Amino acid sequence: AALLPLMGIIGGGVDMSRAYLAQSRLQQACDAGVLAARKSLGSKVAVDGTVPTEAAELGNRFFNLNFRDGIYGTEDREFQLILESDYSVSGEASVRVPTSIMKIFGFNEVNIDVDCNAVLSFQNLDLMMVLDTTGSMRHTNAGDSQSRIESMKQVIRDFHPELDGNKAPGIRIRYGFVPYATNINRGHL
């Protein structure tokens, strides 16, 4: 009479330990896949709302290296990459672990689902601009309507709002300016 409950305890331990091992390895593979895809994506913007093909292929390759098809006796392995609105890359992975001993008690499989996310974030940015204020900057290049120094000033005025308007919330940008006007050796330029 004690054999049946004992088989249930041992079978549950064996099957569940294999399921937990598969879940842990699946989570690691999912993490590796989204990290590789996000790293590959870099600062490129995906305009169609999907992970670009090159980044998706790299993410899938990392996932496949970390969780081979059929490892631990698993079946129906699936992995999907998703590009979120904040350009983070999310992943969803699932697998079925068929039971061996627990089939006797009507439990044929354990379904495992994991999710993961990778975000590329920059906290702060220090930007230093070295500005030529020598006498040659007062000249106007052929075909230009303003002098070199006025053109440089306009570029700086346009550059600041461009950076400030595209930074993520919570990012601090510090600007520094170093003008130079003397002791410049430009060589043969």
Side-chain angles (χ1 to χ4, degrees):
L3 185 59
L4 201 57
L6 189 58
M7 277 185 62
I9 291 170
I10 293 171
V14 169
D15 288 335
M16 289 312 295
S17 65
R18 195 164 50 107
Y20 285 131
L21 184 61
Q23 180 182 18
S24 174
R25 192 65 181 263
L26 187 66
Q27 184 67 58
Q28 292 169 1
C30 186
D31 291 340
V34 297
L35 286 171
R38 185 62 193 102
K39 176 71 174 160
S40 174
L41 185 60
S43 60
K44 295 181 236 171
V45 176
V47 294
D48 61 358
T50 61
V51 178
T53 305
E54 182 180 310
E57 286 174 358
L58 186 63
N60 281 312
R61 190 168 2 147
F62 269 73
F63 177 80
N64 292 335
L65 285 171
N66 284 282
F67 199 94
R68 293 182 325 272
D69 198 21
I71 191 170
Y72 309 121
T74 59
E75 299 173 350
D76 300 332
R77 180 187 64 146
E78 292 183 19
F79 179 59
Q80 180 182 7
L81 291 168
I82 303 154
L83 183 65
E84 302 294 343
S85 60
D86 63 352
Y87 300 109
S88 64
V89 176
S90 296
E92 295 175 352
S94 63
V95 73
R96 261 185 341 105
V97 181
T99 58
S100 53
I101 300 174
M102 292 305 292
K103 285 182 184 176
I104 299 169
F105 301 102
F107 299 101
N108 294 328
E109 62 188 34
V110 177
N111 293 317
I112 299 173
D113 298 306
V114 298
D115 56 357
C116 45
N117 190 314
V119 178
L120 182 66
S121 64
F122 300 99
Q123 294 303 319
N124 295 313
L125 175 66
D126 293 328
L127 181 68
M128 185 62 78
M129 294 185 191
V130 181
L131 309 173
D132 181 358
T133 58
T134 59
S136 66
M137 292 296 284
R138 65 183 156 85
H139 299 295
T140 303
N141 291 335
D144 286 347
S145 60
Q146 56 187 359
S147 68
R148 295 174 186 161
I149 192 79
E150 290 303 317
S151 178
M152 180 179 66
K153 288 177 184 178
Q154 188 59 48
V155 166
I156 292 170
R157 284 187 204 110
D158 293 342
F159 187 65
H160 174 266
E162 185 71 27
L163 276 182
D164 201 52
N166 290 309
K167 69 179 184 177
I171 291 180
R172 182 177 62 173
I173 300 176
R174 297 185 299 183
Y175 299 90
F177 299 93
V178 178
Y180 64 86
T182 59
N183 298 331
I184 303 302
N185 181 0
R186 298 184 344 165
H188 300 289
L189 296 177

